[in-house]
């Protein structure tokens, strides 16, 4: 079978509850999804860097300069968030390698495939995440 046909079939694949949890096919699906996400973030970062370098020219007008600095600050904060996201993606890829991917860090139970598909870096099941957020709210309100 041609390699392109294999890739097309792999892209059409969606993990299902009808198959063993975190079988090789599911692990490969999430590995590819995470790698593609990481590459997209890196591409955006390169584009931002190019934009910021082009934009770093001197603006004679004080208002233009202030506006440019504000835009630059927002972009840099967004890039910092994405840098942290890449670290989470790398951690998820490591969990795939060590066999712990897809299992809740708190309970050890499988995280739903729907949740992992929507948030492939998830480390907690929905229930554990909700408990965590409730505890956070309680402590934040103190």
């Amino acid at each position: 079978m041609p390699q392109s046909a294999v890739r097309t079939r792999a892209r059409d694949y969606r993990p299902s509850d009808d198959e063993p949890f975190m079988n090789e096919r599911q692990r490969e699906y999430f590995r590819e999804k995470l790698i593609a996400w990481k590459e997209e973030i890196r591409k955006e970062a390169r584009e931002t860097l190019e934009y910021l370098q082009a934009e770093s020219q001197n603006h004679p007008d004080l208002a233009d300069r202030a506006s440019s600095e504000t835009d630059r600050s927002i972009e840099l904060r967004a890039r910092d968030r994405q840098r942290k996201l890449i670290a989470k993606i790398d951690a998820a890829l490591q969990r795939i390698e060590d066999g712990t991917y897809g299992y809740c860090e708190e309970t050890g139970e499988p995280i739903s495939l729907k949740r992992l598909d929507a948030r492939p870096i998830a480390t907690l099941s929905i229930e554990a995440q909700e408990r965590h957020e409730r505890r956070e709210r309680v402590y934040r309100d103190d």
Side-chain angles (χ1 to χ4, degrees):
M1 183 179 292
Q3 191 64 26
S4 61
V6 172
R7 264 195 302 266
T8 301
R9 245 187 32 225
R11 266 187 293 214
D12 294 338
Y13 170 76
R14 288 285 178 259
S16 162
D17 291 326
D18 298 337
E19 57 188 320
F21 186 72
M22 280 305 126
N23 62 57
E24 182 58 37
R25 196 167 186 200
Q26 287 182 358
R27 287 191 307 272
E28 187 58 30
Y29 170 83
F30 287 111
R31 181 183 296 114
E32 288 177 10
K33 185 173 186 126
L34 288 160
I35 290 169
W37 191 12
K38 183 177 172 178
E39 288 306 312
E40 181 62 29
I41 292 169
R42 285 184 167 162
K43 179 179 171 247
E44 289 173 6
R46 283 190 298 274
E47 290 169 358
T48 298
L49 185 59
E50 291 168 7
Y51 166 76
L52 291 175
Q53 287 171 340
E55 185 62 23
S56 68
Q57 62 199 9
N58 284 333
H59 294 286
D61 181 56
L62 200 53
D64 288 345
R65 190 175 324 150
S67 177
S68 179
E69 286 301 316
T70 300
D71 291 348
R72 182 182 185 92
S73 176
I74 290 168
E75 284 291 337
L76 291 173
R77 274 197 307 264
R79 290 298 143 231
D80 188 51
R81 280 193 304 275
Q82 289 185 326
R83 181 184 54 78
K84 291 173 184 170
L85 183 55
I86 285 177
K88 289 179 180 183
I89 291 170
D90 286 340
L93 288 167
Q94 183 57 48
R95 287 193 305 279
I96 288 173
E97 293 307 312
D98 67 26
T100 60
Y101 182 81
Y103 294 91
C104 179
E105 288 183 346
E106 199 170 281
T107 66
E109 294 294 313
I111 298 171
S112 77
L113 291 172
K114 279 180 71 173
R115 176 163 170 73
L116 288 171
D117 208 24
R119 183 124 177 105
I121 59 172
T123 59
L124 298 172
S125 65
I126 293 278
E127 299 79 15
Q129 182 69 39
E130 287 171 348
R131 280 193 304 274
H132 178 74
E133 289 173 3
R134 277 194 300 274
R135 283 192 305 266
E136 248 183 19
R137 271 196 297 272
V138 167
Y139 292 120
R140 191 175 52 221
D141 292 342
D142 287 349

